[in-house]
Amino acid sequence: MLLHFTKMHGLGNDFMVVDLITQRLRLRDDQVRILADRHEGIGFDQLLIVEPPTDPDMDFRYRIFNADGSEVENCGNGARCFARFVLDQRLTHKREIHVETAGGPLILKVENDGRVRVDMGVPRFEPGALPFEANRDRPSHDLIVDGETLEISVVSLGNPHAVLRIDTLGVETLDDAPVARLGPAIERHPRFPKRVNVGFMHIVSRREIRLRVFERGSGETRACGTGACAAVATGIRQGLLDASVQVHLPGGELTIDWAGGESHLFMTGPATRVFDGRIVIS
Ligand SMILES: N[C@H](CCC[C@H](N)C(=O)O)C(=O)O
């Protein structure tokens, strides 16, 4: 079976994008893992699938699979690439695209400068939304990892995020943040039954942060859109950030806007198409 795809990225967070509207096939988890392999397959952080909507009010269904084959609820960098892809493939002519995801609806707006502004919905802090095992919602929680007590904030953007401020880890720069050690340990911590994405945030000012993210199911990526949203939302909730924040990730910059409470959070950034390809899958 020949599978047509497009390779894209959002700030270096890279994707294989597949249109399953004009191509009718199903991909198994083991096939996703092989396709994700950077030596034996295409290589990607996530696979993004374009399908017809199940909800008639939506334009598309947007499905996301991590490199380990796990299907997940949301991918922010991927949402921007999704918008670019469906326009380039002429699957729509709309510049405001409504998509359904397992984590809830998203509205993708392609702006005149080519950047995409995504309405990410309302951040959810209650532990049950992730899920995270805790007796109540609070701005930060203690989490014991390998005998060390860490201070984490938790939030769901449809997908689960734990955010640590590096000042609570006794390091001054992100380069010194123990991402390789704490990322996997928190990702798989038993208090996160569905695992979790782990953000390491350096607050530069009330309008600027630097961020690294160890992603659930993919490891550290060069950027994480929902991770940027999560870090800013937890920072605003703790009174440490203003309502519009520039997020510096290893792969580039995102702008996150959130007025707090039940208002919707917005993420704005680029989407890049790299190449089209075809691959035989068995
Ligand atoms: N690893 C994430 C999915 C991809 C998120 C990230 N690539 C983004 O841009 O939001 C998860 O398991 O929830």
Side-chain angles (χ1 to χ4, degrees):
M1 179 80 179
L2 195 60
L3 177 66
H4 294 261
F5 68 90
T6 296
K7 193 73 182 9
M8 302 185 77
H9 72 84
L11 302 178
N13 180 199
D14 68 330
F15 310 113
M16 177 182 180
V17 190
V18 174
D19 158 12
L20 291 192
I21 293 177
T22 60
Q23 300 181 100
R24 309 297 294 170
L25 62 97
R26 293 180 60 81
L27 288 168
R28 302 186 313 271
D29 292 2
D30 60 303
Q31 288 174 313
V32 174
R33 283 190 290 274
I34 291 166
L35 291 168
D37 188 286
R38 296 190 185 281
H39 302 284
E40 299 180 9
I42 304 297
F44 54 73
D45 292 326
Q46 279 86 31
L47 167 67
L48 311 182
I49 301 286
V50 182
E51 288 187 349
T54 61
D55 175 344
D57 293 335
M58 293 287 151
D59 297 307
F60 297 100
R61 183 183 182 193
Y62 164 33
R63 299 177 72 187
I64 304 112
F65 294 82
N66 283 324
D68 68 358
S70 58
E71 183 166 7
V72 292
E73 309 87 348
N74 197 0
C75 175
N77 288 324
R80 302 195 312 275
C81 290
F82 188 102
R84 173 83 282 137
F85 178 78
V86 293
L87 276 169
D88 290 353
Q89 300 298 107
R90 289 177 173 65
L91 293 170
T92 184
H93 299 291
K94 295 181 178 179
R95 294 180 71 87
E96 177 176 310
I97 302 156
H98 293 226
V99 302
E100 63 183 68
T101 74
L106 302 174
I107 301 175
L108 320 177
K109 280 189 181 175
V110 181
E111 302 192 325
N112 293 333
D113 64 4
R115 294 192 310 164
V116 183
R117 180 172 169 82
V118 182
D119 176 343
M120 300 290 286
V122 182
R124 292 287 173 215
F125 297 98
E126 57 275 13
L130 278 76
F132 172 58
E133 290 172 6
N135 53 23
R136 66 181 178 87
D137 173 16
R138 33 188 321 146
S140 64
H141 299 262
D142 286 346
L143 186 76
I144 298 175
V145 177
D146 301 333
E148 184 184 354
T149 299
L150 302 174
E151 180 185 332
I152 68 167
S153 298
V154 297
V155 60
S156 171
L157 273 296
N159 62 342
H161 288 267
V163 182
L164 294 87
R165 296 194 334 258
I166 63 167
D167 57 283
T168 67
L169 297 171
V171 297
E172 291 184 3
T173 70
L174 270 185
D175 291 344
D176 299 333
V179 177
R181 177 172 66 84
L182 291 182
I186 297 170
E187 180 206 4
R188 297 177 175 281
H189 194 285
R191 289 180 65 186
F192 291 101
K194 288 189 176 179
R195 298 185 291 161
V196 71
N197 299 284
V198 189
F200 296 80
M201 168 168 64
H202 174 198
I203 295 182
V204 177
S205 74
R206 293 189 58 84
R207 296 178 59 82
E208 198 176 354
I209 67 169
R210 313 189 76 79
L211 182 70
R212 290 173 65 184
V213 183
F214 185 91
E215 287 198 28
R216 176 180 63 171
S218 297
E220 182 173 5
T221 56
R222 290 185 57 191
C224 179
T226 52
C229 299
V232 170
T234 60
I236 290 172
R237 192 187 190 214
Q238 293 180 68
L240 301 171
L241 295 175
D242 289 345
S244 183
V245 178
Q246 276 299 100
V247 181
H248 302 285
L249 297 133
E253 274 70 44
L254 288 173
T255 302
I256 308 297
D257 299 294
W258 185 48
E262 289 300 305
S263 66
H264 286 209
L265 181 146
F266 293 85
M267 167 194 63
T268 305
T272 306
R273 189 181 184 117
V274 182
F275 66 87
D276 295 337
R278 301 178 305 175
I279 184 167
V280 177
I281 58 169
S282 51

